[in-house]
């Protein structure tokens, strides 16, 4: 029994005969080997390969995967089809990704319809067999792949007994008398016992007697298109039988048969209705003709899915297109096909804002037709060129979300070039589509540049929806170098999108604002923005951005000290991204999950979360850049006590640069590298790296980076006073931004310094409080407490302290010399600035914007002020505030 979850083609009719061939074939398929099943069109290669899968199901422990290439055009399509069959996302090096996935797996790949892609199939199969000795390949093709060591099994005609059984089964004539049996034998012999030809002939058994069928096939070669006699025998037989079958069709069936040739290669009943309507033919007339074509085996019907789909075999479709060309209808029907696809996509557009999952599913099913229609339109003169450009722009989200991004880049470039001299709505939408596809498919600033061009044209033409999405993409393009500009632009776009009722742009820009807050360590504000954004994105099926936003929300939640909930959110990010099979979305989600698991002390689970990504990219010549992947691996190495390996992982992050250097790493990774260097004994190199990092303006703009930098410098400091001062400043920054786990790190570091000073009470209290803070957050990371008996009496007291109490305790102990505990003199400079703005009448969001801090941070400062002044609200604050 074949596992239907592996997406094998359905068997729409019984399998007849071929017992000897099946036994030979299944015996020859083996690991480390490619077996090519070769024969002319219509000889039954696909059916025999499919039946072989059923017979071999128990022989391959890791399963059998079916790879159909009938809809693919190039090498990218081959790798995409194999990846889809394996259920893996493709990284920067697709062949490497596939071979890594298949390494050490006992799996059989069945690659069907290879003849039009012989070279790329041969290249990929060769790589698989060279690197994956436990994998096997069964290919079907009209010609061998031409690989060294390839076994070729040429499929011959059916033997007479099998041919009679097949013809009888399809004709519905179970028992044949002597005359009928003789006629059936003549039919089989005159059709060279070719399965497809026999099925075509059997389709007429309800209309003609067997004797009439045999007589009509008396001289099939007189009907051949190739009158030179050079066609191979069985190819000539098939051509003749198809011509014969076609000539027996009625007028409606012939008309529909040739016109269906424009569909690639499948279609739904809706397409028949659309075709009839535009040709001003009664729909019922074409539906009756369709039933006739199905009965005569020229069209097959697949009713196993939620919507019935119809298709022609490749050789049958080729014949239909030949007849379409003879009727001089090719251009008209191709134009009509373009019109139908454009109507389908534009009618589905409403789903983009209500159920993008459903939209993606609908268009993915029809993608071969959509792509063919775009290509036809772009190669035509107006008005069809404009229709092709409109269709290309309308499917941009499919290319952004799916696995056909290379098609999108190519076709949209063609569409944009055609509109270079126009400044119309279609060109604006094509430019926007280019920006959207480039956002996930192309490196560098291409998306930003195209978005700027789209926004400019949209403003000139008054296209609000184009302008809003283009400006959202522009905001995304600024996040790497100007966080405040990103927040300001995203906020403006979100406000306009809300007024315009654009739900997607509203949610997407709100998520972007949340990301800015996350990067600035304003985690309460990040959560406040991200939670409603995620809800809206998930509601409409916006998996791509929803998975990223869930990852950001998980990180903000973890930093706020709720690790269990953060892990749940990160796991949801992974499951949300998975159906897209987008390597980068999945890798980002898994990296976030791994980092949070590591914070929780679950290093084994963190490694397991990264394993699927590691397997796909490990050993690639140019590993894809996944923010945080190398850094989290480095943290895992540090957790295992391997600082040299951790440093190597950090430096892998910059390996894609032309001239890699430590200064090209992200600030977060440089901090981990500094720690790895210190722990490996290279203190001077660590200090030098930290000095260079401290000179970077971005460092002070990122509080967690600034605090971690201070902590690492403190750990290198030669005297305890200097170390104490830097640890206290790191704790102040972390406390101010609600970095719960990092505050526990600071308490541990301060405890260690106190122990060096023989301050056992302080050390014991802080060690105990740090341990409690981690446990309260949901972390099982143990605080490394020295085996010192003089600490024991204070540890339990420390474990009874809340994080807030511990921070206040050590801050008071440090600050008694500088600042009182209460009253105006106890306020910090930042608290004084908040008071001044609050008393002047500014709201919390306005204060946050003025001071470049989060609204949640403003609330925290005010709470501290109220406690120090012994008041409860702003009214009392205004009364107490000193006048200038």
């Amino acid at each position: 029994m074949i596992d239907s979850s592996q997406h094998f083609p359905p068997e729409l009719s019984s399998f007849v005969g071929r017992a000897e061939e099946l036994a030979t074939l299944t015996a020859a398929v083996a690991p480390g080997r490619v077996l090519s099943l070769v024969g002319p069109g219509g000889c039954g290669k696909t059916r025999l390969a499919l039946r072989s899968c059923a017979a071999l199901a128990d022989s391959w422990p890791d399963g059998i995967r079916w790879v159909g290439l009938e809809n693919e055009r190039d090498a990218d399509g081959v790798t995409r089809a194999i990846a889809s069959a394996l259920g893996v996302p493709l990284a920067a090096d697709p062949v490497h990704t596939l071979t890594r996935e298949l390494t050490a797996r006992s799996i059989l790949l069945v690659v069907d319809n290879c003849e039009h892609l012989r070279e790329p199939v041969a290249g990929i199969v060769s790589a698989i067999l060279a690197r994956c000795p436990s994998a096997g390949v069964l290919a079907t093709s009209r010609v061998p792949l031409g690989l060294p060591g390839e076994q070729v099994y040429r499929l011959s005609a059916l033997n007479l007994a099998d041919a009679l059984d097949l013809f009888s089964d399809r004709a519905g004539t179970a028992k044949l008398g002597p005359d009928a049996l003789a006629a059936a034998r003549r039919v089989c012999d005159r059709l060279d016992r070719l399965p497809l030809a026999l099925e075509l002939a059997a389709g007429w058994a309800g209309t003609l007697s067997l004797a009439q069928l045999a007589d009509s096939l008396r001289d099939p070669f007189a009907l051949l298109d190739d009158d030179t006699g050079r066609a191979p025998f069985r190819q000539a037989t098939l051509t003749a039988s198809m011509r014969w079958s076609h000539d027996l069709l009625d007028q409606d069936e012939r008309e529909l048969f040739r016109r269906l040739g424009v569909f690639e290669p499948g279609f739904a009943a809706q397409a028949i209705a659309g075709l009839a309507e535009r040709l001003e033919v009664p729909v019922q007339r074409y539906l009756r003709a369709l039933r006739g074509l199905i009965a005569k085996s020229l069209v097959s019907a697949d009713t196993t899915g939620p919507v019935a789909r119809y298709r022609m075999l490749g050789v049958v479709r080729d014949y239909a297109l030949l007849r379409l060309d003879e009727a001089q209808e090719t251009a008209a029907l191709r134009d009509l096909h373009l019109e139908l696809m454009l109507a389908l996509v534009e009618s589905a557009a409403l789903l983009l804002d209500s159920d993008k999952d459903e939209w993606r599913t609908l268009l993915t099913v029809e993608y071969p037709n959509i792509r063919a229609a775009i290509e036809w339109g772009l190669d035509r003169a107006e008005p069809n060129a404009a229709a092709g450009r409109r269709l290309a722009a309308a499917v941009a989200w499919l290319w952004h979300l799916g696995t056909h991004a290379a098609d999108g880049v190519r076709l949209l470039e063609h569409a944009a070039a055609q509109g270079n001299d126009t400044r119309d709505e279609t060109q604006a939408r094509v430019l926007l589509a280019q920006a959207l596809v480039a956002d996930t498919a192309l490196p560098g600033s291409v998306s930003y540049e195209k978005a700027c061009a789209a926004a400019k044209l949209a403003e000139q033409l008054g296209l609000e929806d184009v302008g809003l999405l283009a400006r959202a993409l522009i905001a995304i393009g600024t996040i790497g170098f100007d966080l405040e500009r990103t927040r300001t632009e995203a906020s403006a776009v979100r406000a306009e999108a809300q007024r315009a009722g654009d739900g997607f742009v509203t949610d997407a820009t709100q998520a972007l604002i949340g990301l800015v807050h996350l990067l600035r360590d304003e985690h309460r504000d990040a959560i406040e923005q991200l939670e409603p954004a995620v809800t809206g994105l998930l509601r409409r099926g916006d998996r791509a951005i929803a998975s990223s936003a869930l990852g950001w929300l998980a990180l903000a939640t973890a930093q706020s000290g709720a690790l269990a909930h953060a892990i749940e959110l990160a796991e949801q990010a992974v499951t949300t991204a998975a159906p897209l099979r987008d390597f980068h979305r999945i890798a980002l989600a898994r990296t976030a999950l791994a980092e949070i698991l590591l914070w929780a002390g679950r290093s084994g689970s963190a490694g397991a979360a990264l394993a699927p990504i590691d397997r796909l990219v490990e050993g690639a010549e140019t590993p894809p850049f996944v923010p945080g992947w190398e850094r989290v691996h480095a943290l895992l190495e540090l957790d295992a006590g391997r600082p040299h390996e951790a440093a190597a992982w950090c430096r892998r992050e910059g390996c894609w640069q032309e001239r890699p250097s430590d200064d090209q790493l992200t600030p977060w990774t440089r901090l981990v590298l500094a720690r790895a260097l210190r722990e490996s004994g290279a203190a001077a190199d660590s200090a030098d790296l930290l000095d260079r990092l401290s000179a970077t303006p971005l460092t002070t703009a990122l509080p967690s980076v600034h605090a971690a930098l201070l902590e690492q410098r403190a750990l290198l400091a030669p005297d305890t006073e200097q170390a104490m001062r830097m640890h206290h400043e790191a704790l102040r920054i972390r406390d101010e931004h609600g970095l719960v786990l990092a505050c526990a790190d600071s308490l541990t570091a301060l405890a260690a310094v106190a122990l060096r000073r023989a301050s056992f009470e302080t050390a014991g209290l802080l060690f105990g409080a740090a341990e409690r803070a981690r446990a309260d957050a949901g972390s099982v990371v143990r605080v490394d407490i020295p085996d010192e008996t003089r600490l024991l009496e204070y540890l339990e007291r420390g474990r009874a302290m809340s994080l807030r109490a511990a921070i206040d305790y050590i801050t008071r102990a440090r600050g008694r010399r500088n600042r009182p505990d209460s009253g105006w003199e106890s306020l910090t400079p930042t608290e004084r600035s908040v008071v001044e703005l609050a008393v002047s009448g500014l709201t919390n969001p306005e204060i946050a914007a003025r001071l470049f801090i989060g609204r949640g941070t403003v609330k925290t400062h005010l709470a501290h002020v109220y406690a120090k002044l012994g008041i409860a609200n702003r009214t009392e604050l205004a009364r107490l505030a000193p006048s200038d």
Side-chain angles (χ1 to χ4, degrees):
M1 178 68 69
I2 296 178
D3 181 359
S4 61
S5 68
Q6 296 179 6
H7 306 296
F8 289 89
E11 294 193 79
L12 303 176
S13 56
S14 59
F15 183 81
V16 178
R18 296 290 196 193
E20 182 179 340
E21 293 91 334
L22 182 61
T24 302
L25 196 64
T26 54
V29 174
R33 179 184 297 174
V34 56
L35 174 62
S36 293
L37 182 58
V38 174
C43 72
K45 299 183 296 295
T46 297
R47 287 302 304 272
L48 183 57
L50 188 58
R51 181 55 46 165
S52 298
C53 292
L56 291 165
D58 295 331
S59 302
W60 296 86
D62 294 314
I64 301 173
R65 299 295 185 272
W66 185 274
V67 184
L69 299 182
E70 60 272 12
N71 294 330
E72 305 305 335
R73 308 280 190 82
D74 51 27
D76 286 343
V78 176
T79 54
R80 188 168 55 236
I82 296 174
S84 178
L86 293 172
V88 298
L90 287 176
D93 185 342
V95 175
H96 174 81
T97 300
L98 295 176
T99 54
R100 285 288 300 177
E101 178 66 19
L102 292 169
T103 298
R105 293 181 66 184
S106 180
I107 193 169
L108 176 65
L109 290 181
V110 184
V111 190
D112 189 39
N113 288 312
C114 299
E115 55 275 347
H116 62 301
L117 293 167
R118 179 172 171 267
E119 289 188 11
V121 171
I124 293 170
V125 168
S126 178
I128 290 172
L129 295 180
R131 304 175 200 175
C132 312
S134 298
V137 178
L138 171 61
T140 74
S141 179
R142 297 183 192 180
V143 292
L145 297 180
L147 287 171
E150 174 186 14
Q151 283 190 291
V152 177
Y153 186 91
R154 296 188 182 276
L155 193 59
S156 60
L158 291 168
N159 61 46
L160 181 58
D162 285 349
L164 285 169
D165 286 345
L166 177 64
F167 179 76
S168 178
D169 179 82
R170 299 301 189 260
T173 54
K175 294 183 179 180
L176 298 176
D179 293 339
L181 181 59
R185 283 177 177 169
R186 283 187 289 149
V187 169
C188 293
D189 288 339
R190 288 173 178 174
L191 293 179
D192 193 32
R193 301 191 293 252
L194 196 65
L196 179 57
L198 291 171
E199 296 207 18
L200 293 175
W204 291 99
T207 305
L208 302 173
S209 69
L210 296 185
Q212 288 174 311
L213 274 175
D215 289 343
S216 65
L217 291 168
R218 182 179 296 112
D219 188 12
F221 300 105
L223 303 174
L224 293 180
D225 293 316
D226 182 0
D227 56 7
T228 65
R230 292 194 298 266
F233 183 57
R234 292 191 183 92
Q235 178 184 329
T237 301
L238 180 60
T239 305
S241 64
M242 289 186 61
R243 178 66 175 267
W244 165 84
S245 187
H246 176 267
D247 287 346
L248 291 177
L249 298 175
D250 66 32
Q251 184 60 37
D252 287 348
E253 290 169 341
R254 289 185 193 179
E255 182 180 287
L256 182 61
F257 172 73
R258 66 175 181 265
R259 291 173 175 177
L260 290 179
V262 297
F263 291 96
E264 296 256 347
F267 52 91
Q270 180 184 358
I272 304 290
L275 198 65
E277 180 182 340
R278 284 161 176 77
L279 290 169
E280 298 183 349
V281 173
V283 174
Q284 289 302 318
R285 182 174 136 194
Y286 266 7
L287 290 178
R288 282 193 298 270
L290 177 64
R291 283 197 296 270
L293 294 175
I294 293 170
K296 298 170 180 69
S297 299
L298 290 167
V299 172
S300 62
D302 179 2
T303 58
T304 59
V307 177
R309 300 280 299 175
Y310 307 94
R311 60 172 295 156
M312 292 177 170
L313 290 176
V315 290
V316 177
R317 181 168 176 259
D318 290 344
Y319 191 81
L321 288 171
L322 179 65
R323 294 295 160 246
L324 188 69
D325 198 46
E326 281 184 353
Q328 298 184 339
E329 292 180 343
T330 298
L333 264 294
R334 291 281 188 193
D335 289 346
L336 188 54
H337 180 252
L338 169 59
E339 186 181 331
L340 285 170
M341 292 303 106
L342 182 59
L344 170 72
V345 171
E346 291 186 339
S347 67
L350 289 175
L351 289 171
L352 280 170
D353 202 45
S354 60
D355 191 345
K356 197 168 283 182
D357 264 350
E358 177 63 25
W359 180 88
R360 182 169 55 90
T361 299
L362 174 64
L363 266 63
T364 298
V365 170
E366 292 294 351
Y367 182 70
N369 280 303
I370 292 169
R371 178 178 58 192
I374 294 171
E375 290 172 339
W376 173 261
L378 294 180
D379 288 337
R380 297 280 282 168
E382 297 294 348
N384 292 300
R389 291 169 62 227
R390 278 172 57 198
L391 182 54
V395 297
W397 273 112
L398 189 65
W399 289 319
H400 174 92
L401 296 170
T403 56
H404 298 88
D407 285 346
V409 171
R410 171 178 59 86
L411 293 172
L412 286 168
E413 185 176 352
H414 190 178
Q418 282 196 335
N420 274 339
D421 298 328
T422 62
R423 308 287 294 172
D424 59 6
E425 177 180 349
T426 300
Q427 184 67 358
R429 296 191 183 280
V430 168
L431 291 171
L432 176 61
Q434 281 190 294
L436 192 60
V437 176
D439 181 50
T440 54
L442 295 176
S445 60
V446 176
S447 177
Y448 180 82
E449 293 165 0
K450 297 298 182 183
C452 289
K456 182 178 179 180
L457 184 53
E459 184 178 10
Q460 294 172 0
L461 299 173
L463 299 172
E464 186 177 41
D465 63 323
V466 174
L468 286 172
L469 183 51
R471 287 172 56 201
L473 290 167
I474 291 170
I476 292 171
T478 66
I479 201 164
F481 56 87
D482 192 339
L483 291 178
E484 184 54 30
R485 178 182 170 189
T486 302
R487 188 192 66 79
T488 301
E489 178 64 19
S491 298
V493 174
R494 180 175 179 271
E496 291 181 37
Q498 278 185 305
R499 287 194 293 271
D502 191 325
F504 168 73
V505 174
T506 298
D507 292 335
T509 48
Q510 186 168 18
L512 183 58
I513 295 166
L515 174 59
V516 172
H517 284 303
L518 174 66
L519 294 173
R520 299 203 303 202
D521 292 299
E522 298 158 356
H523 299 297
R524 292 181 185 175
D525 295 315
I527 292 169
E528 185 178 305
Q529 296 293 330
L530 288 165
E531 283 183 338
V534 164
T535 299
L537 291 165
L538 289 175
R539 184 175 58 246
R540 69 172 59 81
D542 278 303
R543 289 184 176 274
I545 298 174
S547 67
S548 297
L550 277 164
W552 304 333
L553 179 58
L555 291 168
T557 301
Q559 292 278 21
S560 300
L563 285 170
H565 183 44
I567 290 170
E568 291 174 356
L569 290 167
E571 288 172 339
Q572 187 182 2
V574 172
T575 56
T576 299
L580 296 175
R581 292 184 180 171
D582 180 320
F583 173 81
H584 285 279
R585 302 277 187 195
I586 295 170
L588 284 170
R590 286 192 166 276
T591 299
L593 173 60
E595 185 161 23
I596 295 167
L597 287 167
L598 191 56
W599 291 341
R602 296 165 55 183
S603 55
S605 297
L610 291 177
I613 305 303
D614 300 344
R615 188 169 61 246
L616 295 178
V617 302
E618 195 62 32
E621 290 184 13
T622 54
F625 176 62
V626 179
W629 177 63
E630 295 92 348
R631 177 173 51 80
V632 176
H633 266 294
L635 289 170
L636 281 167
E637 295 293 349
L638 286 171
D639 186 67
R642 295 189 288 265
H644 291 286
E645 290 84 349
W649 268 106
C650 288
R651 285 170 170 145
R652 284 183 60 166
E653 184 182 270
C655 68
W656 56 276
Q657 300 277 0
E658 185 175 346
R659 294 181 178 177
S661 80
D662 293 347
D663 293 333
Q664 292 172 327
L665 306 177
T666 66
W668 299 274
T669 302
R670 275 183 273 177
L671 285 166
V672 178
L673 177 57
R675 176 186 164 189
L677 291 171
R678 175 176 55 79
E679 292 186 9
S680 63
D685 291 338
S686 177
D688 184 54
L689 179 61
L690 292 170
D691 286 342
R692 297 198 305 274
L693 178 58
S694 66
T696 305
L698 188 60
T699 300
T700 54
L702 302 172
S704 62
V705 171
H706 189 196
L709 173 66
L710 288 166
E711 181 176 75
Q712 290 301 315
R713 288 184 123 176
L715 293 169
L716 289 167
D719 69 89
T720 58
E721 180 56 36
Q722 185 182 9
M724 184 73 77
R725 186 171 61 251
M726 287 189 283
H727 280 312
H728 269 283
E729 180 60 14
L731 176 61
R732 183 193 66 77
I733 294 170
R734 288 166 169 175
D735 180 36
E736 196 168 87
H737 290 83
L739 304 176
V740 171
L741 295 173
C743 283
D745 288 341
S746 286
L747 292 181
T748 304
L750 285 165
V753 175
L755 188 61
R756 287 164 60 191
R757 290 179 160 186
S759 299
F760 298 109
E761 179 179 2
T762 299
L765 290 173
L766 295 184
F767 277 133
E771 196 173 73
R772 155 112 184 245
R774 290 189 177 283
D776 287 348
S779 174
V780 296
V781 172
R782 294 186 62 84
V783 175
D784 188 14
I785 301 174
D787 186 14
E788 169 59 63
T789 57
R790 285 171 289 183
L791 293 176
L792 296 179
E793 63 179 295
Y794 304 111
L795 284 174
E796 285 307 314
R797 286 171 52 192
R799 289 172 183 141
M801 296 175 75
S802 67
L803 179 60
R804 177 78 267 144
I807 292 172
D808 288 344
Y809 163 79
I810 192 60
T811 302
R812 284 195 304 271
R814 179 69 177 174
R816 286 195 187 103
R817 293 166 295 174
N818 305 313
R819 191 178 294 124
D821 293 336
S822 62
W824 288 107
E825 295 303 318
S826 70
L827 302 187
T828 66
T830 303
E831 289 168 349
R832 287 175 178 274
S833 298
V834 170
V835 168
E836 181 182 343
L837 295 173
V839 169
S840 70
L842 269 62
T843 64
N844 284 7
E846 290 169 335
I847 295 171
R850 185 74 62 88
L851 297 180
F852 302 104
I853 59 177
R855 282 178 281 178
T857 306
V858 175
K859 293 177 187 177
T860 300
H861 282 310
L862 286 172
H864 290 171
V865 168
Y866 296 160
K868 291 176 180 181
L869 298 181
I871 59 177
N873 53 49
R874 281 184 177 234
T875 303
E876 294 181 49
L877 180 63
R879 284 201 300 266
L880 284 177
S883 57
D884 293 335

